[in-house]
Amino acid sequence: MYRTKKRQITQITAHVSTRRRDSLATEEPLEIRVDGQALTVTMRTPGDDFDLAAGFLVSEGTIAAPHDLSTMRHCADLDTYNVLDVRLAPGVEPPQARNFSTTSACGVCGKASLEAVRTVARWSARDDPARIGSHVLRELPDRLRAAQRVFDRTGGLHAAGLFDLEGGVLCVREDVGRHNAVDKLVGWALREGRLPLAGTVLMVSGRASFELVQKAVMAGIPVLAAVSAPSSLAVELAAEEGLTLIGFLRGDSMNVYTGEHRLTLTGSGHGSARAATSG
């Protein structure tokens, strides 16, 4: 399984056309099974599939520690790496199957209702005493971009990065789906025994949607920052759960939508951080 694929294309610059090979981000389906039963199918970039499945199950509220998992394996008998079977530890209740397949743009498709999406978190972001300087936050987009190795070749992947409060990189994952990138990151943390992710910052390369806020809350992450806009539902959920939500984090500017109390204005340009909505 390769994260990129080559294709012959025609490139037009001004009035000149040339033929060349271009690198494309791979997108393929992954069927996740739990104890042999189909749970969901998601479109993803192959790689870190075990982390993806584990992170997905954290977001579903099914597991919270490495000992909740028994085994994970690709179904090699199907001559493919696009089917993954997760065996839960004895006593761990399996999640309810999704109603239909998810796309790389949707992490909560198939839920029967909004109430079902608001999974009960095991840890409270509201109780996390984390504080972070605005100068640290301003550095995160560049640090995340510098770690996007596959994006450099394709320009077609989202990224999610986990940082400590000093801006140190803990983990970075890429995928065609922004929710998959976060699931891969959370799954890595679970398998490393790091949950809950108290005192950390989740930085994402796109917008901050409801599903990303939910995944941050379920992993115990107190701060979520995005280079683009949040949705109204994302802001509402962040306020309810005590999560610090930052959008439009670009250059010296950022909008703090909730949890402004965790942000310390530091460094040059500190006056450009403003609270769009406090929570």
Side-chain angles (χ1 to χ4, degrees), residues 27-32 38-44 56 82 97-111 179-180 211:
E27 182 177 25
E28 293 187 358
L30 176 68
E31 178 182 330
I32 300 175
L39 174 63
T40 189
V41 177
T42 185
M43 300 302 296
R44 97 307 190 188
F56 180 82
N82 287 335
R98 291 295 184 94
N99 293 336
F100 49 82
S101 301
T102 68
T103 71
S104 58
C106 176
V108 294
C109 300
K111 288 291 191 179
H179 62 93
N180 286 339
E211 60 191 343

Side-chain angles (χ1 to χ4, degrees), residues 55 160 177-187 202 204 212 215-216:
R178 61 175 60 88
H179 62 93
N180 286 339
V182 174
D183 277 341
K184 288 179 178 182
L185 189 152
V186 172
L202 173 61
V204 296
L212 296 194
K215 290 176 186 297

